[in-house]
Amino acid sequence: METTAADEVVGICRDLLRIDTTNTGDPRTTVGERAAAEYVAGKLGEAGVDVELFESAPKRANLVARIPGADRSRGALLVHGHLDVVPADASEWSVDPFSGEEKDGYLWGRGAIDMKDFDAMMLAVVRDWSRTGYVPPRDIVLCYTADEEAGMEYGSQWLVNNHRDKFDGCTEAIGEVGGYSYTVNDDLRLYLVQTAEKGLDWLRLHASGRPGHGSFIHDDNAVTALSEAVARVGRHRFPTVVTPTVRAFLEQVGDALQIDIDPDNPEVAIAKLGPIANLIGATIRNTANPTRLEAGYKDNVIPGRASATIDCRTLPGEADRFLAELRELIGPDIEIDHVHQQPAVETAFGGELVDAMGAALRAEDPGARTVPYLMSGGTDAKAFSTLGIRCFGFAPLRLPADLNFASLFHGIDERVPVEGLKFGVRVLDRLLRNS
């Protein structure tokens, strides 16, 4: 009996989960993606695919491969996934986070849904094509990146800056986070296709004051000034802004759930979405969350400087207004540094590729309906979109109705349903054959 992509995908995903590619964001403690990239290169090499490895820094490897299509005059499709994962504390997990253990119908491990599941799907599909001699309708460019979890400096951003020719002819792209199901009832599942994502701005705030002895009365205290500014930011709720993508999502969700949605007060409807409410709730406003504090060097010394990091995420078209509001909130005496900035990304929910996504899903799930959504986080699409590529989040998974999918991203006991993984590889194969 001939091996299929669905037969292989679980084993490939398990292998990838067992390769520790932890990205702490600190070059001194980051493991690196080289071993995983070499594994992918080996699997593609067995399938007769020529690959190129690009190391942006020691052990920070990226991989690109182009599979020629039947009509090379057409725009190529970029299919991309990142190989790095966020850290995992084994003491918090019920399994070893790098074991790739299969139990209770799931494959467990750090990266199971972010995003070694899709990395495995890409590999399994291409290896299946090799066995059968299949040629896709247009060029497919596969890209496995480093450093997506810490700003993309050594991954997609580096590739775009240094090897942009590898993406010549690419007009569209698919990657994370989209194509997953939200169960409405037994006969209807919404599959969320990511057509937009928020912009990213990591800010460093600095307060200055007069240093002195900790026992004195001291009104010019940098720690106090910074703490007050950080507290104002952390407690602030920015106003609701419904972008075109979110409006389209709410309209379709309202129709599916048969509820009236007031676009000026969408939180009422979003609260009814259960496991995906957290994912969607952050897409109706700009956000600014304090994440780090740093001050002082001795318990009895008032420092002359204190710093904090704020993770800011902005809606498409909102960056300038957001920064003006944030500046007023922080106050004039706090210094602001932009540590890392990436713009919001948005594309229309339409065209032949979007139609093909819906058709591929319905072929495997007759109850499927695709809807656009805006993602609150960021992906490698931020880099690839600068090349003029239309980017979509489409890493298909059919999920159990009771699974809190959103909580698994960077969460404890990250896992992917085995049947969902097999479903995803079948959908991906159909999409690539018909797009």
Side-chain angles (χ1 to χ4, degrees):
M1 185 174 177
E2 195 169 89
T3 302
T4 67
D7 295 328
E8 269 204 321
V9 70
V10 176
I12 292 173
C13 188
R14 181 185 297 112
D15 289 346
L16 287 170
L17 292 174
R18 289 174 174 171
I19 302 173
D20 184 351
T21 54
T22 297
N23 184 358
T24 64
D26 182 345
R28 296 170 299 179
T29 54
T30 288
V31 175
E33 301 82 1
R34 180 85 199 191
E38 289 177 346
Y39 171 86
V40 172
K43 288 292 186 181
L44 289 174
E46 291 172 3
V49 177
D50 293 329
V51 305
E52 293 181 277
L53 283 175
F54 301 99
E55 199 168 66
S56 55
K59 299 184 180 179
R60 310 308 302 273
N62 300 273
L63 181 150
V64 181
R66 184 178 290 258
I67 301 168
D71 183 356
R72 307 209 67 187
S73 67
R74 290 185 59 195
L77 176 65
L78 171 63
V79 186
H80 61 94
H82 64 82
L83 292 169
D84 61 323
V85 299
V86 297
D89 183 346
S91 69
E92 298 175 332
W93 286 54
S94 61
V95 302
D96 181 339
F98 296 102
S99 67
E101 182 174 337
E102 185 176 343
K103 69 170 187 175
D104 302 329
Y106 289 85
L107 198 57
W108 300 60
R110 175 58 86 220
I113 53 102
D114 187 16
M115 61 174 297
K116 290 180 176 179
D117 57 339
F118 191 60
D119 293 337
M121 292 182 208
M122 294 159 62
L123 265 182
V125 167
V126 171
R127 285 171 59 84
D128 187 60
W129 289 355
S130 174
R131 285 189 291 269
T132 60
Y134 178 75
V135 177
R138 57 169 163 166
D139 281 12
I140 303 294
V141 176
L142 300 180
C143 184
Y144 289 82
T145 64
D147 200 33
E148 191 276 342
E149 296 290 5
M152 312 166 207
E153 179 182 353
Y154 298 101
S156 56
Q157 295 282 0
W158 184 86
L159 285 171
V160 165
N161 291 335
N162 295 278
H163 297 282
R164 63 193 306 135
D165 59 301
K166 300 305 173 185
F167 308 102
D168 284 351
C170 290
T171 56
E172 297 168 310
I174 58 171
E176 60 173 356
V177 173
Y180 57 89
S181 66
Y182 166 70
T183 300
V184 177
N185 54 50
D186 290 344
D187 301 316
L188 177 60
R189 275 158 297 282
L190 303 182
Y191 285 82
L192 281 65
V193 176
Q194 192 230 108
T195 59
E197 58 184 55
K198 280 182 157 182
L200 179 151
D201 197 351
W202 291 337
L203 302 179
R204 191 70 47 78
L205 308 187
H206 305 286
S208 297
R210 180 168 50 84
H213 198 287
S215 67
F216 296 165
I217 295 173
H218 203 97
D219 295 328
D220 186 16
N221 189 315
V223 175
T224 302
L226 179 77
S227 299
E228 290 171 343
V230 168
R232 288 194 298 270
V233 172
R235 294 193 183 101
H236 185 71
R237 183 66 63 91
F238 290 85
T240 299
V241 178
V242 179
T243 64
T245 296
V246 172
R247 187 175 296 275
F249 170 82
L250 292 172
E251 288 173 353
Q252 296 205 40
V253 166
D255 177 66
L257 298 179
Q258 297 184 330
I259 59 175
D260 292 326
I261 294 180
D262 179 359
D264 295 321
N265 186 23
E267 290 177 304
V268 175
I270 290 172
K272 299 178 181 180
L273 298 181
I276 64 169
N278 283 343
L279 276 175
I280 305 304
T283 68
I284 59 171
R285 55 172 45 91
N286 301 311
T287 59
N289 287 307
T291 56
R292 297 177 65 187
L293 293 168
E294 182 180 0
Y297 59 90
K298 197 170 186 294
D299 291 349
N300 63 347
V301 176
I302 297 170
R305 189 171 174 87
S307 302
T309 302
I310 310 293
D311 184 348
C312 304
R313 308 293 173 127
T314 54
L315 297 166
E318 285 287 306
D320 290 343
R321 186 168 76 166
F322 166 79
L323 286 173
E325 186 175 352
L326 188 67
R327 174 76 270 183
E328 184 176 351
L329 189 66
I330 290 170
D333 297 328
I334 304 294
E335 178 187 345
I336 301 177
D337 286 339
H338 294 269
V339 179
H340 191 80
Q341 284 182 293
Q342 293 175 348
V345 175
E346 188 165 30
T347 190
F349 184 63
E352 293 182 3
L353 181 60
V354 171
D355 292 342
M357 291 175 186
L361 285 166
R362 289 189 296 273
E364 295 295 333
D365 178 6
R369 182 193 299 182
T370 55
V371 298
Y373 92 107
L374 185 154
M375 182 189 171
S376 61
T379 75
D380 284 323
K382 282 185 166 41
F384 295 129
S385 65
T386 65
L387 300 178
I389 300 172
R390 289 184 71 202
C391 294
F392 298 90
F394 189 79
L397 285 173
R398 180 169 174 175
L399 302 170
D402 60 350
L403 179 66
N404 189 343
F405 186 60
S407 71
L408 299 179
F409 283 87
H410 300 186
I412 297 167
D413 285 341
E414 184 180 349
R415 59 198 182 275
V416 63
V418 171
E419 290 306 313
L421 195 56
K422 294 178 180 179
F423 169 89
V425 83
R426 293 194 300 269
V427 171
L428 180 62
D429 187 27
R430 287 182 182 275
L431 172 65
L432 299 183
R433 289 172 182 264
N434 295 284
S435 62

